[in-house]
Amino acid sequence: MFTHSVSIGRYFGIEVRIDPSWLVIAFLFGWSFYAQFQHVFPDLASTTNLLLSATSVLVFFGSVVLHELSHSVMARRLGIPVEGITLFLFGGVTKTRMEASKPRDEFLVAVVGPATSIAIAGVLWALVNWGSVLIQGPLAYALGYLGWLNLGLGLFNLLPGFPLDGGRVLRSILWATGGSLPRATRRAAGVGKLIAAIMIAVGLLSVFTGNLGGLWMAAIGWFLYQAAVAVDQDVVLKALLQEVRARDLMSPNLITIPWDATIRDAVDGYFLRYDHSAFPVVGRDQPGLITLRAVRQIPNDQWELREVWTATTSLDDACTVGPDTPMDKVMEKLREQEGEQDRVLVVDGDRILGIITPRDILRWVRRSEELGLAAVDAEL
Ligand SMILES: [Zn+2]
């Protein structure tokens, strides 16, 4: 997700990016502002209305950025590294590099967002009521309207279902009052699924009664449902994998390439023959790894001439784990190098014992479920 997002600068040291899908919501909001203003002020000139609608979109956009920035700034103050903010079709997300380690921190990071939105509503209404004489007529109406939108944004985000801010607040409270973090997460995700399901149902119902806006509500519900399910599955998976060591899950029968084989040999005898995207290279004092990506970078006419050891990468900490590493840690490692390489080698000193790819984890989980071993639900 968000691979095509564009940076619009850093604010308070936090990078803000816009995903192209956000333009859809900007357009929809602009359109509905225009229709609303025309409805309330039938005499408003269309150029003035356009200007006012565009300004309103910008103010609303700024409000969402401020909401997300408040999450980011609070997280950073509490020592949680922040990657940045991305605005997309369904609003904004703040990406942190790790989760809060204490319930109190989680609570503060979550609650500051809705609090900011509600505060913005207060400021906008104060401007309308006590602002200068310049703010009146359509402009005052627009600001008041934006105030209501911000209040709605704040209250909606306070709904107590994960992944909404209110769901995080609920999780932090459950976590603090004796529950484990996994159990608190599952509960909050459960409420999140319920809220999402209600939104989908109400949204679709109102579509059938002729209100097309319900489609939008159902879409947001669908998005929230997916996110809640993903969080839920992640917790179950982590709990399952905690109990398993790398040596118990790895594929042990490694297919290795001798170090003096040519690239051509490696392509014909291994990369075209097996489904793997990397092979350990052995036979020299230090084992290494040759990847599909490395082979792709070598021009075809050199394949006969070059030996594989010239294109291997050495095994460093980033791509290796010990045989007794718990699998939830292995999964974290695989996630950290997301996109870089999708495997870790299980090594004992200089000896390669096996390999673990996301597919191995998936196979293990599926097999455990088939055999009735994955009884994690009862324990959480
Ligand atoms: Zn938020």
Side-chain angles (χ1 to χ4, degrees):
M1 215 162 32
F2 307 142
T3 41
H4 299 293
S5 61
V6 181
S7 176
I8 56 159
R10 299 178 78 87
Y11 306 88
F12 300 97
I14 312 248
E15 187 171 34
V16 179
R17 307 182 69 88
I18 294 188
D19 186 76
S21 64
W22 194 82
L23 293 174
V24 176
I25 181 118
F27 176 75
L28 284 177
F29 266 92
W31 191 1
S32 81
F33 282 138
Y34 189 91
Q36 179 73 13
F37 298 153
Q38 197 172 41
H39 177 72
V40 181
F41 300 98
D43 298 334
L44 195 62
S46 57
T47 42
T48 316
N49 192 349
L50 265 181
L51 200 67
L52 191 61
S53 302
T55 312
S56 299
V57 168
L58 282 179
V59 173
F60 180 67
F61 158 83
S63 314
V64 175
V65 171
L66 280 177
H67 174 115
E68 294 303 328
L69 271 176
S70 71
H71 286 308
S72 294
V73 170
M74 180 63 84
R76 220 181 32 186
R77 273 192 59 179
L78 295 169
I80 303 166
V82 176
E83 236 163 72
I85 293 169
T86 306
L87 301 175
F88 72 117
L89 189 57
F90 297 115
V93 280
T94 298
K95 256 191 156 176
T96 56
R97 223 164 284 151
M98 57 184 220
E99 300 255 17
S101 56
K102 290 197 295 258
R104 189 194 69 114
D105 293 359
E106 164 108 346
F107 178 86
L108 289 173
V109 172
V111 88
V112 73
T116 302
S117 292
I118 293 168
I120 293 172
V123 169
L124 289 172
W125 286 331
L127 268 177
V128 174
N129 282 323
W130 299 297
S132 75
V133 283
L134 289 172
I135 301 174
Q136 47 177 289
L139 181 59
Y141 176 80
L143 289 180
Y145 191 62
L146 285 161
W148 282 109
L149 278 179
N150 271 289
L151 180 69
L153 190 70
L155 292 180
F156 173 68
N157 272 292
L158 277 178
L159 289 176
F162 215 83
L164 292 170
D165 294 332
R168 289 183 174 274
V169 168
L170 174 67
R171 174 166 88 159
S172 70
I173 293 170
L174 293 174
W175 184 12
T177 52
S180 68
L181 176 59
R183 191 186 304 169
T185 307
R186 292 209 75 190
R187 292 257 164 87
V191 182
K193 281 193 242 178
L194 184 69
I195 290 172
I198 293 173
M199 285 179 69
I200 295 171
V202 172
L204 289 182
L205 263 178
S206 62
V207 171
F208 288 129
T209 57
N211 178 9
L212 277 179
L215 214 54
W216 185 242
M217 189 185 201
I220 295 177
W222 179 247
F223 168 75
L224 289 177
Y225 194 86
Q226 299 296 324
V229 167
V231 167
D232 199 38
Q233 283 173 345
D234 198 55
V235 174
V236 174
L237 188 62
K238 262 196 195 136
L240 266 177
L241 291 177
Q242 250 171 15
E243 310 296 322
V244 192
R245 315 264 140 203
R247 69 158 90 241
D248 301 321
L249 194 146
M250 67 186 190
S251 298
N253 299 321
L254 267 192
I255 300 157
T256 57
I257 306 182
W259 67 279
D260 54 352
T262 63
I263 300 291
R264 167 68 68 189
D265 295 336
V267 169
D268 291 343
Y270 298 87
F271 283 102
L272 286 175
R273 184 184 301 236
Y274 302 102
D275 202 15
H276 308 319
S277 60
F279 295 90
V281 173
V282 294
R284 290 189 114 206
D285 26 312
Q286 291 281 325
L289 196 69
I290 185 159
T291 62
L292 186 62
R293 188 195 296 207
V295 170
R296 269 211 304 252
Q297 278 163 3
I298 302 171
N300 283 22
D301 54 3
Q302 290 180 24
W303 285 7
E304 262 87 26
L305 307 171
R306 278 181 67 173
E307 294 180 338
V308 287
W309 65 270
T310 61
T312 53
T313 44
S314 57
L315 304 181
D316 55 4
D317 277 351
C319 65
T320 59
V321 294
D324 289 319
T325 313
M327 274 309 298
D328 59 323
K329 295 279 176 296
V330 175
M331 199 170 73
E332 269 168 32
K333 202 158 209 172
L334 278 169
R335 280 201 184 145
E336 271 165 27
Q337 33 172 280
E338 200 178 346
E340 298 285 311
Q341 45 200 3
D342 47 3
R343 73 199 72 83
V344 291
L345 289 173
V346 183
V347 295
D348 191 7
D350 272 351
R351 224 153 47 90
I352 303 177
L353 303 177
I355 193 166
I356 299 174
T357 64
R359 229 182 312 165
D360 293 314
I361 300 180
L362 215 66
R363 169 182 48 76
W364 185 89
V365 170
R366 208 176 301 137
R367 236 340 106 76
S368 306
E369 276 170 1
E370 283 166 6
L371 293 169
L373 299 170
V376 73
D377 280 80
E379 293 158 36
L380 280 173

PDB file of all heavy atoms in Angstrom, residues 154-178:
ATOM      1  N   GLY A 154     -13.706  13.733  15.099  1.00  0.00           N
ATOM      2  CA  GLY A 154     -13.212  13.405  16.436  1.00  0.00           C
ATOM      3  C   GLY A 154     -14.073  12.350  17.105  1.00  0.00           C
ATOM      4  O   GLY A 154     -13.560  11.366  17.639  1.00  0.00           O
ATOM      5  N   LEU A 155     -15.400  12.518  17.037  1.00  0.00           N
ATOM      6  CA  LEU A 155     -16.297  11.574  17.720  1.00  0.00           C
ATOM      7  C   LEU A 155     -16.269  10.207  17.031  1.00  0.00           C
ATOM      8  O   LEU A 155     -16.247   9.171  17.707  1.00  0.00           O
ATOM      9  CB  LEU A 155     -17.735  12.125  17.743  1.00  0.00           C
ATOM     10  CG  LEU A 155     -17.930  13.369  18.613  1.00  0.00           C
ATOM     11  CD1 LEU A 155     -19.387  13.819  18.570  1.00  0.00           C
ATOM     12  CD2 LEU A 155     -17.492  13.094  20.064  1.00  0.00           C
ATOM     13  N   PHE A 156     -16.246  10.208  15.688  1.00  0.00           N
ATOM     14  CA  PHE A 156     -16.205   8.928  14.972  1.00  0.00           C
ATOM     15  C   PHE A 156     -14.953   8.143  15.362  1.00  0.00           C
ATOM     16  O   PHE A 156     -15.005   6.946  15.633  1.00  0.00           O
ATOM     17  CB  PHE A 156     -16.223   9.167  13.459  1.00  0.00           C
ATOM     18  CG  PHE A 156     -16.007   7.923  12.656  1.00  0.00           C
ATOM     19  CD1 PHE A 156     -16.974   6.922  12.635  1.00  0.00           C
ATOM     20  CD2 PHE A 156     -14.835   7.731  11.936  1.00  0.00           C
ATOM     21  CE1 PHE A 156     -16.770   5.760  11.910  1.00  0.00           C
ATOM     22  CE2 PHE A 156     -14.618   6.568  11.221  1.00  0.00           C
ATOM     23  CZ  PHE A 156     -15.595   5.579  11.200  1.00  0.00           C
ATOM     24  N   ASN A 157     -13.832   8.848  15.433  1.00  0.00           N
ATOM     25  CA  ASN A 157     -12.574   8.161  15.777  1.00  0.00           C
ATOM     26  C   ASN A 157     -12.551   7.680  17.222  1.00  0.00           C
ATOM     27  O   ASN A 157     -11.724   6.862  17.583  1.00  0.00           O
ATOM     28  CB  ASN A 157     -11.379   9.070  15.511  1.00  0.00           C
ATOM     29  CG  ASN A 157     -10.882   8.933  14.089  1.00  0.00           C
ATOM     30  OD1 ASN A 157     -10.357   7.903  13.721  1.00  0.00           O
ATOM     31  ND2 ASN A 157     -11.108   9.955  13.282  1.00  0.00           N
ATOM     32  N   LEU A 158     -13.457   8.202  18.049  1.00  0.00           N
ATOM     33  CA  LEU A 158     -13.509   7.752  19.442  1.00  0.00           C
ATOM     34  C   LEU A 158     -14.330   6.474  19.613  1.00  0.00           C
ATOM     35  O   LEU A 158     -14.363   5.888  20.694  1.00  0.00           O
ATOM     36  CB  LEU A 158     -14.080   8.859  20.336  1.00  0.00           C
ATOM     37  CG  LEU A 158     -13.061   9.919  20.780  1.00  0.00           C
ATOM     38  CD1 LEU A 158     -13.746  10.985  21.610  1.00  0.00           C
ATOM     39  CD2 LEU A 158     -11.916   9.287  21.580  1.00  0.00           C
ATOM     40  N   LEU A 159     -15.000   6.017  18.539  1.00  0.00           N
ATOM     41  CA  LEU A 159     -15.725   4.741  18.632  1.00  0.00           C
ATOM     42  C   LEU A 159     -14.731   3.665  19.066  1.00  0.00           C
ATOM     43  O   LEU A 159     -13.614   3.594  18.547  1.00  0.00           O
ATOM     44  CB  LEU A 159     -16.356   4.373  17.284  1.00  0.00           C
ATOM     45  CG  LEU A 159     -17.539   5.233  16.841  1.00  0.00           C
ATOM     46  CD1 LEU A 159     -18.001   4.815  15.447  1.00  0.00           C
ATOM     47  CD2 LEU A 159     -18.690   5.124  17.825  1.00  0.00           C
ATOM     48  N   PRO A 160     -15.136   2.811  20.034  1.00  0.00           N
ATOM     49  CA  PRO A 160     -14.141   1.961  20.713  1.00  0.00           C
ATOM     50  C   PRO A 160     -13.762   0.690  19.974  1.00  0.00           C
ATOM     51  O   PRO A 160     -13.618  -0.357  20.581  1.00  0.00           O
ATOM     52  CB  PRO A 160     -14.848   1.632  22.034  1.00  0.00           C
ATOM     53  CG  PRO A 160     -16.288   1.635  21.679  1.00  0.00           C
ATOM     54  CD  PRO A 160     -16.471   2.666  20.599  1.00  0.00           C
ATOM     55  N   GLY A 161     -13.614   0.732  18.647  1.00  0.00           N
ATOM     56  CA  GLY A 161     -13.227  -0.481  17.913  1.00  0.00           C
ATOM     57  C   GLY A 161     -11.899  -0.311  17.205  1.00  0.00           C
ATOM     58  O   GLY A 161     -11.689   0.690  16.525  1.00  0.00           O
ATOM     59  N   PHE A 162     -11.004  -1.263  17.364  1.00  0.00           N
ATOM     60  CA  PHE A 162      -9.750  -1.257  16.627  1.00  0.00           C
ATOM     61  C   PHE A 162     -10.075  -1.370  15.143  1.00  0.00           C
ATOM     62  O   PHE A 162     -10.978  -2.098  14.790  1.00  0.00           O
ATOM     63  CB  PHE A 162      -8.934  -2.489  17.074  1.00  0.00           C
ATOM     64  CG  PHE A 162      -7.476  -2.247  17.109  1.00  0.00           C
ATOM     65  CD1 PHE A 162      -6.892  -1.636  18.207  1.00  0.00           C
ATOM     66  CD2 PHE A 162      -6.674  -2.621  16.050  1.00  0.00           C
ATOM     67  CE1 PHE A 162      -5.531  -1.402  18.243  1.00  0.00           C
ATOM     68  CE2 PHE A 162      -5.321  -2.390  16.078  1.00  0.00           C
ATOM     69  CZ  PHE A 162      -4.746  -1.793  17.183  1.00  0.00           C
ATOM     70  N   PRO A 163      -9.383  -0.687  14.235  1.00  0.00           N
ATOM     71  CA  PRO A 163      -8.201   0.155  14.398  1.00  0.00           C
ATOM     72  C   PRO A 163      -8.496   1.635  14.616  1.00  0.00           C
ATOM     73  O   PRO A 163      -7.596   2.444  14.432  1.00  0.00           O
ATOM     74  CB  PRO A 163      -7.491  -0.049  13.065  1.00  0.00           C
ATOM     75  CG  PRO A 163      -8.596  -0.193  12.084  1.00  0.00           C
ATOM     76  CD  PRO A 163      -9.728  -0.843  12.817  1.00  0.00           C
ATOM     77  N   LEU A 164      -9.731   2.021  14.940  1.00  0.00           N
ATOM     78  CA  LEU A 164     -10.005   3.435  15.218  1.00  0.00           C
ATOM     79  C   LEU A 164      -9.266   3.851  16.494  1.00  0.00           C
ATOM     80  O   LEU A 164      -8.915   3.013  17.326  1.00  0.00           O
ATOM     81  CB  LEU A 164     -11.507   3.647  15.404  1.00  0.00           C
ATOM     82  CG  LEU A 164     -12.367   3.467  14.143  1.00  0.00           C
ATOM     83  CD1 LEU A 164     -13.842   3.450  14.500  1.00  0.00           C
ATOM     84  CD2 LEU A 164     -12.073   4.579  13.147  1.00  0.00           C
ATOM     85  N   ASP A 165      -9.062   5.166  16.648  1.00  0.00           N
ATOM     86  CA  ASP A 165      -8.359   5.658  17.842  1.00  0.00           C
ATOM     87  C   ASP A 165      -9.043   5.172  19.121  1.00  0.00           C
ATOM     88  O   ASP A 165      -8.387   4.798  20.085  1.00  0.00           O
ATOM     89  CB  ASP A 165      -8.321   7.192  17.832  1.00  0.00           C
ATOM     90  CG  ASP A 165      -7.475   7.718  16.685  1.00  0.00           C
ATOM     91  OD1 ASP A 165      -6.543   7.006  16.269  1.00  0.00           O
ATOM     92  OD2 ASP A 165      -7.757   8.828  16.206  1.00  0.00           O
ATOM     93  N   GLY A 166     -10.385   5.193  19.111  1.00  0.00           N
ATOM     94  CA  GLY A 166     -11.121   4.747  20.287  1.00  0.00           C
ATOM     95  C   GLY A 166     -10.853   3.279  20.602  1.00  0.00           C
ATOM     96  O   GLY A 166     -10.869   2.870  21.768  1.00  0.00           O
ATOM     97  N   GLY A 167     -10.609   2.480  19.563  1.00  0.00           N
ATOM     98  CA  GLY A 167     -10.262   1.070  19.762  1.00  0.00           C
ATOM     99  C   GLY A 167      -8.925   0.938  20.462  1.00  0.00           C
ATOM    100  O   GLY A 167      -8.728   0.056  21.307  1.00  0.00           O
ATOM    101  N   ARG A 168      -8.006   1.829  20.112  1.00  0.00           N
ATOM    102  CA  ARG A 168      -6.700   1.832  20.785  1.00  0.00           C
ATOM    103  C   ARG A 168      -6.852   2.274  22.240  1.00  0.00           C
ATOM    104  O   ARG A 168      -6.176   1.762  23.123  1.00  0.00           O
ATOM    105  CB  ARG A 168      -5.716   2.751  20.062  1.00  0.00           C
ATOM    106  CG  ARG A 168      -5.273   2.194  18.730  1.00  0.00           C
ATOM    107  CD  ARG A 168      -4.250   3.073  18.058  1.00  0.00           C
ATOM    108  NE  ARG A 168      -3.754   2.422  16.859  1.00  0.00           N
ATOM    109  CZ  ARG A 168      -2.758   1.557  16.835  1.00  0.00           C
ATOM    110  NH1 ARG A 168      -2.120   1.244  17.948  1.00  0.00           N
ATOM    111  NH2 ARG A 168      -2.374   0.995  15.707  1.00  0.00           N
ATOM    112  N   VAL A 169      -7.742   3.250  22.458  1.00  0.00           N
ATOM    113  CA  VAL A 169      -8.010   3.701  23.830  1.00  0.00           C
ATOM    114  C   VAL A 169      -8.562   2.519  24.630  1.00  0.00           C
ATOM    115  O   VAL A 169      -8.095   2.223  25.734  1.00  0.00           O
ATOM    116  CB  VAL A 169      -9.003   4.881  23.840  1.00  0.00           C
ATOM    117  CG1 VAL A 169      -9.498   5.162  25.243  1.00  0.00           C
ATOM    118  CG2 VAL A 169      -8.340   6.132  23.252  1.00  0.00           C
ATOM    119  N   LEU A 170      -9.551   1.823  24.039  1.00  0.00           N
ATOM    120  CA  LEU A 170     -10.137   0.656  24.710  1.00  0.00           C
ATOM    121  C   LEU A 170      -9.059  -0.386  24.994  1.00  0.00           C
ATOM    122  O   LEU A 170      -8.970  -0.941  26.094  1.00  0.00           O
ATOM    123  CB  LEU A 170     -11.239   0.045  23.832  1.00  0.00           C
ATOM    124  CG  LEU A 170     -11.834  -1.271  24.339  1.00  0.00           C
ATOM    125  CD1 LEU A 170     -12.603  -1.033  25.642  1.00  0.00           C
ATOM    126  CD2 LEU A 170     -12.762  -1.902  23.289  1.00  0.00           C
ATOM    127  N   ARG A 171      -8.207  -0.647  24.000  1.00  0.00           N
ATOM    128  CA  ARG A 171      -7.154  -1.645  24.180  1.00  0.00           C
ATOM    129  C   ARG A 171      -6.242  -1.264  25.336  1.00  0.00           C
ATOM    130  O   ARG A 171      -5.883  -2.099  26.159  1.00  0.00           O
ATOM    131  CB  ARG A 171      -6.340  -1.803  22.895  1.00  0.00           C
ATOM    132  CG  ARG A 171      -5.147  -2.715  23.078  1.00  0.00           C
ATOM    133  CD  ARG A 171      -4.552  -3.131  21.763  1.00  0.00           C
ATOM    134  NE  ARG A 171      -3.552  -2.181  21.296  1.00  0.00           N
ATOM    135  CZ  ARG A 171      -2.606  -2.502  20.414  1.00  0.00           C
ATOM    136  NH1 ARG A 171      -2.556  -3.714  19.902  1.00  0.00           N
ATOM    137  NH2 ARG A 171      -1.736  -1.607  20.019  1.00  0.00           N
ATOM    138  N   SER A 172      -5.868   0.034  25.400  1.00  0.00           N
ATOM    139  CA  SER A 172      -4.948   0.456  26.460  1.00  0.00           C
ATOM    140  C   SER A 172      -5.599   0.275  27.829  1.00  0.00           C
ATOM    141  O   SER A 172      -4.933  -0.098  28.796  1.00  0.00           O
ATOM    142  CB  SER A 172      -4.525   1.906  26.241  1.00  0.00           C
ATOM    143  OG  SER A 172      -5.601   2.776  26.490  1.00  0.00           O
ATOM    144  N   ILE A 173      -6.915   0.518  27.913  1.00  0.00           N
ATOM    145  CA  ILE A 173      -7.611   0.368  29.197  1.00  0.00           C
ATOM    146  C   ILE A 173      -7.677  -1.112  29.587  1.00  0.00           C
ATOM    147  O   ILE A 173      -7.381  -1.487  30.726  1.00  0.00           O
ATOM    148  CB  ILE A 173      -9.025   0.997  29.132  1.00  0.00           C
ATOM    149  CG1 ILE A 173      -8.894   2.516  28.968  1.00  0.00           C
ATOM    150  CG2 ILE A 173      -9.832   0.667  30.382  1.00  0.00           C
ATOM    151  CD1 ILE A 173     -10.184   3.223  28.648  1.00  0.00           C
ATOM    152  N   LEU A 174      -8.056  -1.979  28.628  1.00  0.00           N
ATOM    153  CA  LEU A 174      -8.121  -3.422  28.910  1.00  0.00           C
ATOM    154  C   LEU A 174      -6.747  -3.959  29.283  1.00  0.00           C
ATOM    155  O   LEU A 174      -6.598  -4.814  30.149  1.00  0.00           O
ATOM    156  CB  LEU A 174      -8.656  -4.180  27.685  1.00  0.00           C
ATOM    157  CG  LEU A 174     -10.111  -3.926  27.311  1.00  0.00           C
ATOM    158  CD1 LEU A 174     -10.443  -4.614  26.001  1.00  0.00           C
ATOM    159  CD2 LEU A 174     -11.027  -4.423  28.423  1.00  0.00           C
ATOM    160  N   TRP A 175      -5.730  -3.429  28.590  1.00  0.00           N
ATOM    161  CA  TRP A 175      -4.348  -3.847  28.817  1.00  0.00           C
ATOM    162  C   TRP A 175      -3.921  -3.455  30.241  1.00  0.00           C
ATOM    163  O   TRP A 175      -3.327  -4.234  30.974  1.00  0.00           O
ATOM    164  CB  TRP A 175      -3.483  -3.177  27.754  1.00  0.00           C
ATOM    165  CG  TRP A 175      -2.045  -3.531  27.727  1.00  0.00           C
ATOM    166  CD1 TRP A 175      -1.421  -4.549  28.396  1.00  0.00           C
ATOM    167  CD2 TRP A 175      -1.037  -2.860  26.960  1.00  0.00           C
ATOM    168  NE1 TRP A 175      -0.079  -4.554  28.091  1.00  0.00           N
ATOM    169  CE2 TRP A 175       0.180  -3.539  27.221  1.00  0.00           C
ATOM    170  CE3 TRP A 175      -1.034  -1.771  26.087  1.00  0.00           C
ATOM    171  CZ2 TRP A 175       1.384  -3.144  26.628  1.00  0.00           C
ATOM    172  CZ3 TRP A 175       0.156  -1.391  25.498  1.00  0.00           C
ATOM    173  CH2 TRP A 175       1.348  -2.069  25.774  1.00  0.00           C
ATOM    174  N   ALA A 176      -4.297  -2.217  30.635  1.00  0.00           N
ATOM    175  CA  ALA A 176      -3.890  -1.703  31.950  1.00  0.00           C
ATOM    176  C   ALA A 176      -4.635  -2.410  33.079  1.00  0.00           C
ATOM    177  O   ALA A 176      -4.104  -2.599  34.168  1.00  0.00           O
ATOM    178  CB  ALA A 176      -4.140  -0.202  32.019  1.00  0.00           C
ATOM    179  N   THR A 177      -5.880  -2.800  32.810  1.00  0.00           N
ATOM    180  CA  THR A 177      -6.680  -3.390  33.882  1.00  0.00           C
ATOM    181  C   THR A 177      -6.538  -4.903  33.908  1.00  0.00           C
ATOM    182  O   THR A 177      -7.501  -5.635  34.047  1.00  0.00           O
ATOM    183  CB  THR A 177      -8.168  -3.017  33.755  1.00  0.00           C
ATOM    184  OG1 THR A 177      -8.573  -3.346  32.412  1.00  0.00           O
ATOM    185  CG2 THR A 177      -8.400  -1.549  33.995  1.00  0.00           C
ATOM    186  N   GLY A 178      -5.319  -5.365  33.706  1.00  0.00           N
ATOM    187  CA  GLY A 178      -5.043  -6.765  33.996  1.00  0.00           C
ATOM    188  C   GLY A 178      -4.984  -7.701  32.817  1.00  0.00           C
ATOM    189  O   GLY A 178      -4.431  -8.786  32.930  1.00  0.00           O
TER     190      GLY A 178
END
